[in-house]
Amino acid sequence: MEEALHNSRMLGLLDQILHDPRTTLRVIEIAGRGIAAEARCHLSMPADDKRPNNEPQDVVVRRAQALADRVEEVCAIEDDLAAAWHRRRAETIDEASFGKALLAAVERLEAWQAGS
């Protein structure tokens, strides 16, 4: 898993959350859902294909723009989770509020993957 942690900001955040001594069982459960959702998102991303493409340029450009928009959505989810985690580590948010923020991020990630 260490290699994946280096390649995924989301997994790195979830790993930090799981290993924090203040983490509750409920947060561990939600983080586990997040790990599963992140894995499904990763699998739903198109592979980096180096083969020649015979499709018209406008089709390729539209597909690339749609992918960029979807990646931007995942980055926004990661940013929100990182901000909530930072507030939790700084103790400016309580565990219950952090759990709600984590759940919201995980649900967005699950919805993102379902929309692919």
Side-chain angles (χ1 to χ4, degrees), residues 40-100:
R40 287 189 304 271
C41 287
H42 179 76
L43 292 173
S44 71
M45 290 292 229
D48 188 29
D49 193 349
K50 304 292 186 204
R51 291 176 294 166
N53 192 322
N54 295 331
E55 295 177 317
Q57 182 177 358
D58 63 324
V59 171
V60 173
V61 169
R62 278 196 309 273
R63 185 178 301 126
Q65 288 172 334
L67 176 60
D69 290 345
R70 295 212 12 102
V71 169
E72 189 175 324
E73 291 173 27
V74 170
C75 290
I77 296 167
E78 289 175 345
D79 289 345
D80 292 346
L81 177 58
W85 179 234
H86 176 74
R87 289 191 310 271
R88 180 65 186 122
R89 290 177 58 195
E91 298 183 357
T92 60
I93 187 175
D94 63 25
E95 188 69 23
S97 297
F98 173 71
K100 289 178 185 176

Side-chain angles (χ1 to χ4, degrees), residues 9-24 26-32 34-35 78 80-86 88-89 95 98-99 101-103 105-106:
R9 180 178 176 211
M10 180 72 73
L11 282 180
L13 290 166
L14 293 167
D15 182 63
Q16 289 176 29
I17 292 165
L18 288 173
H19 288 94
D20 188 275
R22 299 171 296 172
T23 298
T24 64
R26 176 70 179 135
V27 167
I28 289 171
E29 176 186 339
I30 297 167
I35 290 168
E78 289 175 345
D80 292 346
L81 177 58
W85 179 234
H86 176 74
R88 180 65 186 122
R89 290 177 58 195
E95 188 69 23
F98 173 71
L102 174 61
L103 180 60
V106 168

Side-chain angles (χ1 to χ4, degrees), residues 1-8 11-12 14-15 18-19 35:
M1 173 121 162
E2 189 170 319
E3 181 179 321
L5 291 178
H6 292 291
N7 294 325
S8 171
L11 282 180
L14 293 167
D15 182 63
L18 288 173
H19 288 94
I35 290 168

